[in-house]
Amino acid sequence: MKRALITGITGQDGPYLAAHLISLGYQVFGLVRGHDNPKLRGVREIVPDIEFVGGDLLDHVSLIRAVEQAAPDELYNLAAISAVPISWQQSELVSQINGLGVWRLLEALRITGRTRTRFFQASSAEVFGDVDRCPQDESTPIRPRNPYGIAKLYAHEVVRNYRDHFGMFAVNGILYPHESLRRSEEFVTRKITRAAARIKLGMQKELGIGNLQAQRDWGYAPDYVRAYHLMLQHDMPEDFVIGSGVMHTIEDVLRIAFSRVGLDWCEYVKVDPRFYRKPEQFPMRSDAGKAREKLGWEPRVTVEQMIQMMVDYDLNDLAGEGSAPVPGGLVESIA
């Protein structure tokens, strides 16, 4: 039985990855900071067979102990402060967790003699930053433009250096935005689906939104965690861009979400300049051709299907018909 250690187990991707690995016969450990973490109950409801180990990406000694306890064949680092705007407000903390935290994990593997453990780093398309081409692939120049991207770039390069210098099987998944039923409302997709449900139920009157024509390459989180696993089963340690390659606007998401509840989004959405962001010169769109060719990976769920699932869940949750973070049927769909 293979053993896997997952950091960021209480985030969006962690439980999906844990469920996927357990379905493949893995023994899965989740790294948690403090066993009184209020999110642990929700994770246990989704993935009852998971085991938790204590550890903190800010504390090197705790990571060494966690690695010794879990003795993982594979380590997936999904932990990060993931909201880009927060990185401008708490840039030092973001650098410590998103950047140096990855170095601490790799050092923990080296110090404990587990250099044969395969390591996955959840990198980000934000490392590309101010892109000069569309779409982007593994050869796209890297030049981040915010503290989040800078911290992710540090981690990205640490992974490559440990791979080259120590011969470790360490890889970066360069991830484009991906959503799910577990997405929080600080992200625009969930803000929209939650608002559509609330408006339908008479709990909200309107929704303020920024640039309706802003575009994103969105995907479905359970699809993406399959790619994480495939990257660690590959013959050689290589970095891969993971994305849908399909662009959608904010207006597209509004149309899909409000149509799902039988409403015309135009009647409820107000454009609010406070939410505008500086537009990119070139769209951030992925070219995941390498992952398709070498890993046999393809996304299975479309953005329209994903948004509809999110709206359905929000309707049930707000109406008091469900309170679990993820309905059971969705977890099985990624196995």
Side-chain angles (χ1 to χ4, degrees):
M1 179 182 288
K2 282 189 177 181
R3 298 162 68 95
L5 174 61
I6 302 172
T7 73
I9 194 63
T10 61
Q12 174 184 242
D13 291 6
Y16 288 122
L17 177 60
H20 182 55
L21 294 178
I22 289 172
S23 76
L24 297 175
Y26 280 69
Q27 183 177 5
V28 176
F29 299 83
L31 186 79
V32 295
R33 186 178 63 178
H35 287 272
D36 58 348
N37 188 318
K39 295 182 179 180
L40 294 187
R41 180 179 177 183
V43 176
R44 286 191 188 277
E45 290 176 352
I46 302 166
V47 197
D49 293 329
I50 196 169
E51 300 180 44
F52 295 112
V53 296
D56 188 334
L57 262 65
L58 296 174
D59 181 358
H60 196 190
V61 173
S62 74
L63 296 179
I64 293 173
R65 290 173 179 164
V67 167
E68 288 176 336
Q69 181 177 345
D73 300 292
E74 298 172 4
L75 199 165
Y76 296 84
N77 181 43
L78 311 183
I81 296 176
S82 57
V84 171
I86 292 177
S87 73
W88 288 107
Q89 303 164 12
Q90 301 183 55
S91 56
E92 182 177 353
L93 180 61
V94 169
S95 299
Q96 284 287 336
I97 293 175
N98 296 10
L100 282 169
V102 179
W103 170 78
R104 294 184 186 104
L105 280 170
L106 288 165
E107 272 293 279
L109 290 176
R110 187 184 67 81
I111 289 170
T112 57
R114 301 202 63 86
T115 54
R116 299 187 67 179
T117 294
R118 297 194 170 197
F119 182 89
F120 171 84
Q121 162 63 9
S123 188
S124 168
E126 287 290 334
V127 301
F128 293 140
D130 191 14
V131 298
D132 60 0
R133 67 189 71 176
C134 179
Q136 299 87 43
D137 61 18
E138 294 79 6
S139 67
T140 299
I142 289 176
R143 45 189 184 190
R145 59 178 181 175
N146 55 59
Y148 173 86
I150 293 169
K152 283 288 189 178
L153 174 56
Y154 175 88
H156 189 99
E157 292 299 327
V158 165
V159 167
R160 292 172 59 177
N161 273 269
Y162 271 66
R163 180 169 70 211
D164 294 342
H165 188 73
F166 296 111
M168 295 175 67
F169 195 111
V171 301
N172 291 295
I174 306 171
L175 311 179
Y176 280 69
H178 47 289
E179 320 296 309
S180 73
L181 304 193
R182 292 185 55 81
R183 199 49 136 171
S184 67
E185 286 188 64
E186 65 194 51
F187 294 90
V188 68
T189 50
R190 199 41 171 283
K191 178 181 178 181
I192 291 172
T193 64
R194 199 74 171 172
R198 290 178 63 85
I199 290 170
K200 178 65 175 180
L201 296 171
M203 302 168 69
Q204 184 173 330
K205 293 183 177 180
E206 64 181 31
L207 169 64
I209 212 78
N211 181 5
L212 299 180
Q213 299 310 311
Q215 301 180 77
R216 290 292 181 270
D217 178 344
W218 280 298
Y220 183 48
D223 277 340
Y224 285 40
V225 302
R226 288 189 293 105
Y228 310 167
H229 175 253
L230 289 171
M231 287 176 64
L232 293 194
Q233 314 316 305
H234 191 46
D235 293 338
M236 299 291 293
E238 298 184 56
D239 301 334
F240 289 87
V241 165
I242 303 297
S244 73
V246 180
M247 301 297 289
H248 288 85
T249 64
I250 299 294
E251 185 174 326
D252 291 334
V253 177
L254 288 165
R255 174 182 52 77
I256 296 166
F258 279 79
S259 294
R260 190 65 172 177
V261 295
L263 299 176
D264 181 354
W265 69 269
C266 298
E267 297 179 12
Y268 302 96
V269 173
K270 307 296 181 184
V271 174
D272 189 334
R274 291 179 302 169
F275 299 125
Y276 268 75
R277 289 187 183 180
K278 182 181 177 181
E280 295 94 356
Q281 181 179 0
F282 291 89
M284 293 292 291
R285 178 163 68 89
S286 65
D287 177 357
K290 180 181 174 182
R292 288 193 298 272
E293 178 184 350
K294 292 193 172 186
L295 303 179
W297 177 81
E298 289 276 3
R300 297 171 180 170
V301 174
T302 67
V303 165
E304 183 168 8
Q305 292 169 328
M306 176 183 74
I307 296 300
Q308 290 173 345
M309 283 192 290
M310 292 170 70
V311 172
D312 290 348
Y313 174 74
D314 287 336
L315 278 172
N316 290 333
D317 184 48
L318 291 167
E321 298 177 10
S323 58
V326 180
L330 187 64
V331 173
E332 281 84 22
S333 73
I334 70 170

